Amino acid sequence: MSSPVGGDALDPGFSLYLDAARGLAALAVVVAHFGYFRILDDAQIARLPDFGREAVIAFFVLSGFVIAYSARHKHRTLADYATARAARLYSVVLPVLLLSFALAALVQHATGLPVSDAYELRKPWLYIPFHLAFQGDTWGFAERPPWLLPYWSLDYEAWYYVLFGCWHFLAGRRRWLAAGAVLLLVGPRLWLLLPVWLSGVVLFRWQQGHVLGRGIARAGWLATVVLVALWGWCDPEPWLRGVAQQWWPFAGIRMGSADRVLADYPVALLVWVNFACARHAGFGALLARMARPIRFLAAHTFTLYLSHALVIGVWQTLLPIERGAAHEIAAIALAIALAALALNPLTEVLRKRLVRGFEAVLARAPALRIP
């Protein structure tokens, strides 16, 4: 699909760039968690910049952009939009979440070894629906499924989908009431990162009427790459996190995953400018030579992102890890890759079935098909 440079449709080169960004962001999260879960030794951690959080912020900006594009060009009714978003989320979330509970219960029962968040295993009938409703970061909650640390970002992103759908597809009083109800339901932590996600929506709309010269675009793109590298090198995040916690006005609610918000905003701005410049930088010919691996990696990012911590959690619980050993790092990386590869065909089949199921429900309830 091609378009004028100033149009709002995605030209193939920029689409490939966004896919590459998505794939690299997923890999950055995995590498960061090799440090977080102490698979790397201290010397390796010190030498390797941690861009895990920055990668998640890139995901948020990219998500806002793609959702705005999808609502404009692919899913133009609320029913179609809701079906597409729910099917996409649950096709990956459902199998990985059920697998996390099943494996954690099996490991705990068979070995008696401690499992992270094992208290949830005593009430799966409560916690599985709780996580399927993405309630883990609403108001005072700070809950994660067993071995699924990355799930926190879905607790944010899923509700941003809902909020966008209310605002984009409804009108008048219904729009304001629905959006207000969602904001009231999710609580202040999700309010904090909402501007990051919405910046992607703003980018989609901004680029409809703005064109950058190729020289300026490439210079701006390079500047953002250098600034992100300097950000990782200087690492002001710990200080900014402390400031955010001091300013947090809700004494009875932990900041949780939103405590890095003061660092997230400048990172989101850099990502925003990077994407805006990449659109006009003329990278299409270069990226076209790597189209197949880029598309392949992009197709597996969601399963890779969500399942890699599950693989690490099971491995750490059952097997001793020699920190920093090359064979350990390679073996765990291979296990993660195989898990993502094995899960992806299942999630694609499940997504198609979920789409058909949601469409069938909506067909029987015409009142739900709000244009």
Side-chain angles (χ1 to χ4, degrees):
M1 175 172 52
S2 61
S3 69
V5 175
D8 66 354
L10 294 184
D11 61 85
F14 188 49
S15 178
L16 273 174
Y17 183 84
L18 295 181
D19 277 344
R22 181 186 294 113
L24 291 175
L27 292 176
V29 172
V30 174
V31 171
H33 283 163
F34 270 54
Y36 179 85
F37 289 109
R38 316 298 289 176
I39 296 168
L40 305 177
D41 61 29
D42 292 338
Q44 291 167 335
I45 293 172
R47 290 195 301 267
L48 195 65
D50 182 349
F51 287 108
R53 179 70 175 205
E54 290 78 7
V56 174
I57 296 306
F59 274 133
F60 275 21
V61 178
L62 178 59
S63 174
F65 182 95
V66 171
I67 294 306
Y69 167 81
S70 175
R72 173 68 64 88
H73 292 283
K74 293 183 178 181
H75 310 293
R76 299 185 179 183
T77 69
L78 179 58
D80 290 343
Y81 171 83
T83 295
R85 298 278 57 83
R88 175 60 175 154
L89 273 174
Y90 285 117
S91 64
V92 177
V93 165
L94 191 58
V96 175
L97 180 65
L98 294 178
L99 194 59
S100 77
F101 272 82
L103 288 176
L106 179 63
V107 167
Q108 187 180 57
H109 177 76
T111 67
L113 296 172
V115 172
S116 65
D117 300 307
Y119 64 90
E120 296 190 3
L121 301 177
R122 296 193 290 271
K123 296 181 179 179
W125 50 267
L126 172 63
Y127 282 104
I128 290 176
F130 175 85
H131 290 302
L132 288 175
F134 303 105
Q135 292 292 306
D137 268 272
T138 57
W139 287 98
F141 292 118
E143 305 288 342
R144 303 287 172 264
W147 291 327
L148 289 184
L149 178 66
Y151 204 94
W152 75 267
S153 66
L154 301 185
D155 290 333
Y156 286 70
E157 195 167 348
W159 285 109
Y160 297 157
Y161 292 168
V162 174
L163 186 63
F164 177 87
C166 292
W167 191 261
H168 182 79
F169 292 101
L170 301 181
R173 181 178 297 180
R174 288 193 303 172
R175 166 189 284 177
W176 288 98
L177 289 176
V182 172
L183 289 173
L184 184 62
L185 175 64
V186 300
R189 277 181 294 185
L190 272 73
W191 305 341
L192 288 180
L193 293 185
L194 179 58
V196 173
W197 192 89
L198 286 177
S199 71
V201 178
V202 172
L203 175 61
F204 171 75
R205 295 178 178 174
W206 178 87
Q207 53 91 46
Q208 296 176 45
H210 295 80
V211 178
L212 299 177
R214 179 164 293 187
I216 293 175
R218 289 185 174 180
W221 180 88
L222 181 60
T224 60
V225 172
V226 171
L227 288 172
V228 168
L230 289 174
W231 178 274
W233 180 267
C234 299
D235 193 19
E237 184 183 281
W239 177 78
L240 291 171
R241 187 187 301 186
V243 174
Q245 290 171 342
Q246 290 176 2
W247 289 356
W248 180 242
F250 303 97
I253 302 175
R254 288 179 292 170
M255 288 196 77
S257 300
D259 65 354
R260 305 184 189 186
V261 62
L262 294 183
D264 294 337
Y265 289 163
V267 170
L269 177 60
L270 290 174
V271 172
W272 195 99
V273 175
N274 180 276
F275 288 170
C277 291
R279 172 78 191 276
H280 306 284
F283 295 149
L286 174 63
L287 293 173
R289 301 172 188 170
M290 302 178 286
R292 290 187 65 182
I294 289 174
R295 297 294 192 199
F296 180 83
L297 179 59
H300 292 79
T301 51
F302 196 0
T303 51
L304 175 64
Y305 175 76
L306 193 57
S307 66
H308 76 274
L310 176 60
V311 174
I312 292 173
V314 174
W315 193 295
Q316 284 185 319
T317 303
L318 295 178
L319 300 170
I321 292 179
E322 182 184 350
R323 291 187 58 200
H327 68 279
E328 292 275 10
I329 296 171
I332 296 172
L334 178 61
I336 289 170
L338 292 175
L341 289 170
L343 280 168
N344 206 64
L346 169 64
T347 64
E348 282 302 302
V349 172
L350 182 56
R351 183 185 63 82
K352 294 176 182 177
R353 292 186 177 181
L354 287 171
V355 167
R356 291 197 294 267
F358 291 140
E359 288 177 343
V361 170
L362 290 170
R364 294 188 181 95
L368 296 177
R369 297 191 65 85
I370 302 172

